[in-house]
Amino acid sequence: MSQLMITQVGTMNLSFDPQTLHFTVVSQEKTWRWDPQYQPKLVTAQGEIPFAAARSVTHHFWKTGIGEGIRSCYAGFTQDGRDIGLAFETVAWIEYISRDLHMEFIPICEDGVDVTRICWPGNMLISGGGMASYSLLPMRQGVLLPNDWPTAMKKLDFDGMMCTTAAYMPWFGQVENGAGYIAIVEQPWDAAYAVDHPAGGPTRIHMSWLPSLGKMAYRRTMRYTFLGKCDYNDLAKVYRGYVKETGLFTTLAEKAARNPRVDKLIGSAIVHTGIKTHIDPTTRWYDHEHPERNNVVVPFSQRAREMVKLKDAGIDKLYLHLDGWGEPGYDNQHPDYLPACTEAGGWDGMKELSDTMQSLGYMFGIHDQYRDYYFNAKTFDPDFAMRKVDGTIYDINLWAGGRQSYLCATQAAYYVKRNFTELFRHGIHLEATYLDVFNCNEGDECIHPWHRMTRQESFALRKRCFDLLCSWGIVPSSEEVGDWAMQTQVFAHYGPYDGMMNGPDKPDYGIDVPLYNLVYHDCMIVPWFLDARAPHGVDVLLYALLNGGAAYVNNELSGAELDRAVARYKTVAQLQERIAKCEMVRHSFLDGDPSRQRAEYSDGTVVTIDTKDNTYEITYPAP
Ligand SMILES: [Zn+2]
C-alpha cells in the first residue's frame, strides 16, 4: 500500500503515509507535519529496531462510537532469518466530541527483545522563530524556546523523565505563527522527552516511552489538542482543563477545607535552617583542610531564640523548616534518624523549640527523608532496598551520610508512621513538614518479590506518605512541585524558573515563563528565596510577586539587614495573602520585551515587573 490514508472529522484531517509511517494533521487550516528526519523505532538491548523492519505490516481504518483514525499492526521482526515474535500496534484517532488526536502505542508480544525506549509518536517540525514560533517545555516553571534561539539546549535533568524537575507537568507544546498544539503524556511515570535544539534551531522534541519493570507492558497514550489562534497561555489552560477532567487539579481552597493550617501557612515567612551537620569522610562533601567543619552542632535553644527575635522584628506568621534535627545529622542514616540530636539538647531541647514555636503562633516542620537508605542506618537491610530490574540494589555515595541505597517506596509509610509516632510521644508539635526528594526525583521501580513495585505505584506510595501526614493535621511539603502529588501536597521547598538553576556563567536556554503557575497557581504554595542571585541581576522579589508566591527570610540576620529582609518579606506576603487562592489568568511580555512581564489574577490583581530596572507595580481591583 503506498497511497496516503486519510481520515476527515469535520474540518480536521489526519493523513498517514504507509511509506514513511508519518502522520500529518490539518486542523483549522494549519498543517502539522512530522519531522522528515524522524524514524519510528524501538531501542532495545539487542539494538535499534525500526518499525519499518517489520515483515508484516498492515494498516486499517479505525472507527468506533467515539472517533475514527488509522490502526497499524507491526509483526514479523526477524533475527538470523527467524521471527522473534515481537509484535505491536499503533492507533491514531480523532475524537469526535473534542477533536483531540489520540496517539496510542499497544504492545502485543515482547518476545525476542528487551526494550529500553519506544520512540513514537514522532516530533513535529516548525518553521520561523522569535516570539511567533516557539516550543513550550515543562522544565521547572516552564521555558518558552523560540525556534531560532541562538543557544543550543542543555541535556535535560533526569534524562528528561516526566514527573521530575525536567517536567513539573507532563506536557509540551509548539506554536507556529499563531497556531499551536499541546501534547499531553497520559502515562507520565514511564515517559521521558529530549529536546534537540542546535544553536539557531530548529527545535525537535523527542518523546520516548520507557519500559515498566523491563517490559513495554501496557498501552501508552498521548493526547494532542490543536488550537487556531493561540499562545502559551491558551495551551497551559488546555492542560488546566485536562487535569480538572482527570481529578488531579486540587485547589488550595480544597486543601484548606481538609486542613485549616493551609490558611495559616499562606502569608507565612519561610525559614530554612538546621541543627547538626555531619559529613562522612568518604564523601565529596568532606572538608579535609578544616575537619572541624564536618561536625557542627547548633543548639535547639539558639534556634528558639532566633524565632523570638523574628517575632520581635515584626513577623507574625512563620514556618520553620528544620534540617539536621536528628542525632545522625543532616542527610545521615535515614530512615533511622531518631532520637533528637543529643548534643543540641536532645528531646528536651527539641520540645522547648517546639513549645516556643507554638507560643509564638508559628508553624514548626522538620526535614525528613524516606528514599535515601543508608548502609549505616541501624535497621538497614538490603532486602528492603529497591531492587533494580538487573537484580542488584543501588550502592552510591552522593550526600553527607555516605554509602546509601534506596528504600523501596512500599516501606516508606511504615517508617514515617514509626518515626512520627516517636516525635509525637516526645511532645514535638508539627503543623507542617517536609519529605525530601519525593517530588523532584524520578519514580522508582523494584523487582524484589516481597515488594514488587512499578513507577506508577511508587508515586502513589509517596503520595500515601503525604496523606499520612495530612491525617495528623500536618501540612505536607516536598522538594519541588511536580503535579503527580497535586491532590495532597500543599507547598514545596521551591518551584523556580529553570533559568535560575543553571548557574551564573551559563547561557539562557530559552525564556522563562510561568507555565506551571498558569495551570496551578491556586493549587500550590511556592516560596522564593528573596536573597538568591537570579541571572542578569534580577531581584528575586520581582519573581515572587509576579508569581504570587511565598518568601523566605534568613534567620541569621539582625539589625538593619533583618529589618530590610522583613520589609521585603512583607511586600511578598501581603500580595500572597490576597491572591494565593486565585488563578493566574494570563501572563504576558509587554510589547514583546522579555524584561517587562505582567501577570493577571482572577480577582483582578495585576502585577507588572521590569527586570531591567528591578521595579514592580501592583494594581488591586477596585473594592
Ligand atoms: Zn520493592
Side-chain angles (χ1 to χ4, degrees), residues 296-516:
V296 178
V297 176
V298 175
F300 288 110
S301 56
Q302 180 175 326
R303 297 305 181 212
R305 283 195 299 276
E306 288 167 358
M307 294 302 117
V308 174
K309 174 187 71 180
L310 294 173
K311 188 81 176 187
D312 292 343
I315 297 178
D316 292 330
K317 298 173 81 176
L318 181 148
Y319 163 68
L320 169 63
H321 168 151
L322 191 67
D323 291 344
W325 53 273
E327 178 56 24
Y330 183 70
D331 270 355
N332 273 258
Q333 295 181 34
H334 289 289
D336 296 330
Y337 201 57
L338 306 178
C341 177
T342 315
E343 304 143 276
W347 284 120
D348 290 344
M350 190 170 179
K351 174 153 186 354
E352 212 177 293
L353 173 58
S354 169
D355 291 349
T356 303
M357 294 296 288
Q358 269 189 285
S359 70
L360 297 172
Y362 285 178
M363 303 176 78
F364 185 26
I366 53 169
H367 177 113
D368 213 352
Q369 159 72 265
Y370 294 89
R371 183 171 184 257
D372 293 343
Y373 192 30
Y374 288 91
F375 281 86
N376 64 355
K378 282 190 232 42
T379 66
F380 178 84
D381 180 342
D383 259 327
F384 294 96
M386 201 186 291
R387 191 177 285 185
K388 290 187 274 186
V389 173
D390 68 8
T392 64
I393 67 168
Y394 290 89
D395 185 348
I396 51 180
N397 193 324
L398 284 180
W399 309 115
R403 252 184 96 198
Q404 64 161 99
S405 195
Y406 290 121
L407 180 68
C408 182
T410 53
Q411 309 302 303
Y414 300 117
Y415 282 94
V416 173
K417 190 178 274 188
R418 183 196 71 172
N419 289 355
F420 277 71
T421 299
E422 197 65 6
L423 283 155
F424 300 149
R425 206 172 65 78
H426 285 92
I428 309 302
H429 175 76
L430 300 170
E431 299 195 357
T433 213
Y434 175 85
L435 298 183
D436 202 18
V437 307
F438 271 2
N439 202 340
C440 166
N441 288 50
E442 74 278 25
D444 295 313
E445 51 183 17
C446 173
I447 63 151
H448 194 297
W450 292 350
H451 40 78
R452 271 173 72 88
M453 172 182 78
T454 63
R455 289 192 197 93
Q456 183 184 11
E457 287 167 338
S458 81
F459 284 116
L461 288 158
R462 292 178 190 179
K463 178 178 171 289
R464 178 150 175 192
C465 295
F466 297 140
D467 286 329
L468 187 55
L469 296 172
C470 288
S471 77
W472 297 322
I474 296 174
V475 182
S477 71
S478 190
E479 197 158 344
E480 302 196 35
V481 295
D483 71 353
W484 60 268
M486 191 55 65
Q487 288 168 331
T488 305
Q489 189 182 343
V490 174
F491 68 118
H493 174 61
Y494 60 12
Y497 289 117
D498 194 75
M500 297 169 70
M501 307 301 287
N502 290 326
D505 49 350
K506 287 286 194 309
D508 294 331
Y509 298 104
I511 300 167
D512 289 320
V513 281
L515 299 178
Y516 178 85

Side-chain angles (χ1 to χ4, degrees), residues 9 53 143 152 252 295 324 326 354 375 450 496 505 522 616:
V9 175
V143 171
L252 284 171
N295 284 290
S354 169
F375 281 86
W450 292 350
D505 49 350
D522 43 349
Y616 66 88

